[in-house]
Amino acid sequence: MLGARGAALARGLQVLTHSWRRDSRALALARAVSAPRAGHWQPSAGPGPRRRRLSLSAAAVVNSAPRPLQPYLRLMRLDKPIGTWLLYLPCTWSIGLAAEPGCFPDWYMLSLFGTGAVLMRGAGCTINDMWDRDYDKKVIRTASRPIAAGDISIFRSFIFLGGQLTLALGVLLCLNYYSIALGAASLLLVITYPLMKRITYWPQLALGLTFNWGALLGWSAVKGSCDPSVCLPLYFSGIMWTLIYDTIYAHQDKRDDALIGLKSTALRFRENTKQWLSGFGVAMLGALSLVGVNSGQTAPYYTALAAVGAHLAHQIYTLDIHRPEDCWDKFTSNRTLGLIFLLGIVLGNLQKEKKTDEAKKSIDSKIKK
C-alpha cells in the first residue's frame, strides 16, 4: 500500500517537472522573439508617441513636401543642392571682389543672387531633362528623373519652366540696366548647353561658359559695369574649375554615355584625365592670381588661394575615375573649395582697410614733420 502511494507520488512529480520545463522553454522563446535585435533602433520606455527623427537635409525636406509637389522639386534638383552651390559661388566671388575696401560683400546682392541661382539652376535642369528625356530612360542613374519616369508631362514641364523663368526675370529686374542686358544674354547658353553632349566631346566647356556667367554679373550688379581686368580672368578661372569638377562628374556615366552615343570630356580624356585636370587646375590658379593682383588683394586672399591649390591637388591625385562613388565625393567637395576661396576674398578685402589706415597715418605723420 505504502509502495503504491510512493510510486504514484513519484509519477506526479515527474509530470510537474516536465510541465515546468515545457513552460520555461516557452517563456524563453517568447522573450527571445520579443527581444530587440542588435543594431535595430527601439523606442524608449518613456511615455508619449514615437517621433520621427528630424532631418534638415535637402532630400529630407523634399521628401516631407506634399506628394504632388515632390516631382517638381526633384525636377529642380532641390534634393541635390550641390549644383546650385556651384552656380552660386562664382557670383559670390564677384560680389565679394566688388565690395568697397574694408567692407563685407553686399548682403542684399548675395541674397538676390542666391534666389536667382536656385531659380536658374532649376530652369536649367528642367530644360536639360526635357531635351534628354529619351536618353535619361536608358541610364540607371537618371531613369528615375521626373520627366523620364513619366511623373511630369512635357506640357506641365513647359508651364513649370515658364514659371521659373518668370520669377528669375523678376530677380534680374532688380539689378541695373547693364546687368539686366548682361543677364539676359546668358539665356541662349542655358537653352543650348544640354544639346552640346550630342555634338561635341566638350559639353563641360559649354557648361563652364554658362555656370560662371555670375562672375561677370556679380561685379556689374555692384559696380554698374564690368572691369575686364578682374572679371575676365575670374570668368576664365571659373570655366577651368567647371572643366575639373564636371569632368569628374561625367566619369560616373561614361559607360552608359558611350553605349547611347553621348559625348563628354570623360570619354575624351579617358585614362589621361588626371593630366588634363592638372592642367586646368594650374590655369585656374594662375587666373585667380591675376585677379588678386588686379584687384589689389591682400595676404588672406593668397592664403586661401594656396588652400584652393592644395584642395585641387588632393582632389585630382586621389581621384579614382573607375569608382562612381569616389567621383561623386570628389565632385561634391568642390563646394568646400568654393567657400574657402570666398572666405579668402572677404578677409582679404577687410584687410585692405587696415592697409589704407596705415597709409593715411604714414602720410599724416610725414605732413606734420
Side-chain angles (χ1 to χ4, degrees):
M1 187 74 173
L2 185 60
R5 288 180 179 177
L9 181 60
R11 283 194 300 270
L13 288 173
Q14 287 179 350
V15 171
L16 287 173
T17 302
H18 177 73
S19 177
W20 177 80
R21 288 177 178 173
R22 182 182 60 193
D23 291 344
S24 298
R25 286 196 299 268
L27 180 59
L29 181 61
R31 287 176 176 173
V33 171
S34 61
R37 296 181 182 180
H40 283 247
W41 178 85
Q42 292 291 324
S44 63
R50 287 187 300 176
R51 294 181 180 179
R52 188 169 56 183
R53 185 179 299 175
L54 180 64
S55 176
L56 294 178
S57 69
V61 171
V62 170
N63 290 333
S64 64
R67 191 168 297 276
L69 191 61
Q70 289 182 21
Y72 295 95
L73 300 181
R74 289 199 300 272
L75 182 58
M76 293 179 70
R77 307 288 198 276
L78 287 186
D79 56 330
K80 297 177 180 178
I82 179 61
T84 303
W85 276 107
L86 296 175
L87 177 62
Y88 179 52
L89 282 166
C91 305
T92 66
W93 299 349
S94 189
I95 293 170
L97 288 166
E100 292 297 320
C103 297
F104 284 99
D106 188 321
W107 297 108
Y108 174 70
M109 285 298 174
L110 288 175
S111 61
L112 207 60
F113 274 75
T115 303
V118 172
L119 292 170
M120 286 308 297
R121 198 252 177 155
C125 289
T126 303
I127 294 171
N128 181 80
D129 288 6
M130 290 168 68
W131 281 120
D132 289 353
R133 61 187 183 277
D134 293 329
Y135 290 103
D136 285 345
K137 295 175 183 177
K138 302 174 183 178
V139 178
I140 295 175
R141 189 179 60 82
T142 60
S144 61
R145 287 178 175 173
I147 296 178
D151 297 331
I152 303 176
S153 67
I154 293 297
F155 178 71
R156 290 184 176 180
S157 300
F158 267 113
I159 295 175
F160 186 55
L161 174 61
Q164 292 175 90
L165 291 177
T166 300
L167 292 174
L169 177 61
V171 173
L172 186 62
L173 292 177
C174 295
L175 307 180
N176 55 61
Y177 290 121
Y178 183 99
S179 300
I180 291 172
L182 185 62
S186 69
L187 190 58
L188 180 63
L189 290 170
V190 174
I191 294 172
T192 57
Y193 154 68
L195 297 175
M196 294 298 106
K197 66 188 78 172
R198 295 165 170 78
I199 60 177
T200 177
Y201 279 101
W202 292 86
Q204 281 68 31
L205 178 60
L207 181 65
L209 294 169
T210 307
F211 249 49
N212 294 282
W213 202 257
L216 307 174
L217 195 57
W219 182 284
S220 71
V222 176
K223 297 288 192 180
S225 63
C226 286
D227 181 351
S229 68
V230 176
C231 295
L232 290 183
L234 184 65
Y235 184 50
F236 175 79
S237 67
I239 294 171
M240 295 298 103
W241 186 38
T242 303
L243 282 168
I244 294 170
Y245 66 66
D246 206 53
T247 297
I248 294 173
Y249 181 86
H251 271 285
Q252 296 178 104
D253 300 327
K254 58 189 175 185
R255 293 179 182 175
D256 291 325
D257 288 346
L259 288 174
I260 62 182
L262 295 180
K263 300 177 176 65
S264 71
T265 48
L267 293 173
R268 171 68 178 81
F269 302 155
R270 297 184 183 275
E271 296 301 321
N272 295 321
T273 291
K274 290 191 177 184
Q275 291 90 318
W276 280 92
L277 298 187
S278 298
F280 296 146
V282 170
M284 176 186 175
L285 294 173
L288 291 178
S289 298
L290 182 59
V291 169
V293 172
N294 291 342
S295 61
Q297 281 296 328
T298 56
Y301 176 93
Y302 295 104
T303 301
L305 188 57
V308 167
H311 191 290
L312 283 174
H314 177 267
Q315 191 179 153
I316 295 170
Y317 180 76
T318 61
L319 173 66
D320 185 348
I321 60 174
H322 302 297
R323 289 180 57 233
E325 60 274 16
D326 185 60
C327 292
W328 175 256
D329 289 341
K330 296 297 191 301
F331 169 70
T332 56
S333 73
N334 281 278
R335 179 182 65 175
T336 302
L337 183 152
L339 290 172
I340 290 171
F341 187 56
L342 174 60
L343 180 62
I345 291 173
V346 174
L347 294 179
N349 201 55
L350 293 175
Q351 186 74 20
K352 287 181 183 179
E353 183 181 35
K354 295 181 179 180
K355 282 198 167 186
T356 303
D357 290 342
E358 290 173 2
K360 285 181 179 179
K361 289 179 181 179
S362 177
I363 293 172
D364 291 340
S365 62
K366 287 181 181 178
I367 291 173
K368 290 178 181 179
K369 289 180 180 179

